[in-house]
């Protein structure tokens, strides 16, 4: 499901044991990144902050980001209402399952590539290398 919408507007969140990373894609290109400490994130406040992040109104010096690593925009974000999909991976992904209610049916997924959610990163890196360096891994 993520691959079929990868050229659209997608919010990707990895809820790791220590850090949570969110990447916002617009038309298939990364336009914003955010990183925070997973255990410091209240799920409902984080869901609300992700909306501001997607709308382009979140700032690195917001009180919410205190104690986090920060965020930055590489381009104009698509906006929350224009998201095609929100995908959450990582060992603590269930912590943010309430995002499904914010996003709506059919636009939220917990991806499990190759049947193992811990393979999301490795498989994504292999795909990125193949895309950037054709023939290198053949």
């Amino acid at each position: 499901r993520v691959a079929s919408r990868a050229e659209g507007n997608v919010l990707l969140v990895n809820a790791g044991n220590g850090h949570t990373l969110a990447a916002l894609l617009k038309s298939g290109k990364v336009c914003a990144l955010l990183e925070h400490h997973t255990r410091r994130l209240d799920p409902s406040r984080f869901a609300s902050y992700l909306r501001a992040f997607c709308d382009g109104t979140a700032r690195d010096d917001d009180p919410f980001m205190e104690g986090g690593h920060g965020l930055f925009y590489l381009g104009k974000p698509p906006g929350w209402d224009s998201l095609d999909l929100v995908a959450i991976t990582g060992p603590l992904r269930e912590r943010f399952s309430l995002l499904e209610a914010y996003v709506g049916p059919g636009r939220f997924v917990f991806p499990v590539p190759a049947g193992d959610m811990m393979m999301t990163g490795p498989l994504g890196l292999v795909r990125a290398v193949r895309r950037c360096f054709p023939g290198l891994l053949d």
Side-chain angles (χ1 to χ4, degrees):
R1 288 180 59 194
V2 175
S4 71
R5 297 183 184 178
E7 296 303 316
N9 301 324
V10 180
L11 176 62
L12 304 169
V13 179
N14 183 292
N17 290 319
H19 295 91
T20 291
L21 178 67
L24 182 58
L25 280 64
K26 179 179 179 182
S27 301
K29 305 276 187 201
V30 175
C31 70
L33 292 171
L34 176 152
E35 186 182 16
H36 211 299
H37 293 99
T38 304
R39 298 197 194 293
R40 296 183 104 184
L41 294 173
D42 170 81
S44 61
R45 284 188 64 220
F46 186 50
S48 180
Y49 199 74
L50 284 175
R51 183 178 195 107
F53 176 63
C54 293
D55 287 339
T57 59
R59 297 291 171 254
D60 198 40
D61 59 355
D62 290 339
F64 181 86
M65 288 306 296
E66 186 174 312
H69 289 285
L71 64 90
F72 63 93
Y73 293 97
L74 296 168
K76 185 176 179 353
W80 181 263
D81 293 330
S82 295
L83 290 178
D84 297 310
L85 187 71
V86 173
I88 303 181
T89 63
L92 297 182
R93 68 193 183 283
E94 292 290 334
R95 186 165 187 212
F96 303 113
S97 62
L98 62 85
L99 274 170
E100 186 169 14
Y102 285 80
V103 176
R107 294 191 323 152
F108 179 88
V109 66
F110 285 131
V112 286
D116 182 350
M117 67 90 191
M118 292 303 286
M119 291 304 296
T120 305
L123 289 174
L125 289 171
V126 169
R127 179 171 275 185
V129 168
R130 283 195 164 144
R131 182 197 237 163
C132 293
F133 304 100
L136 182 68
L137 300 178
D138 294 337

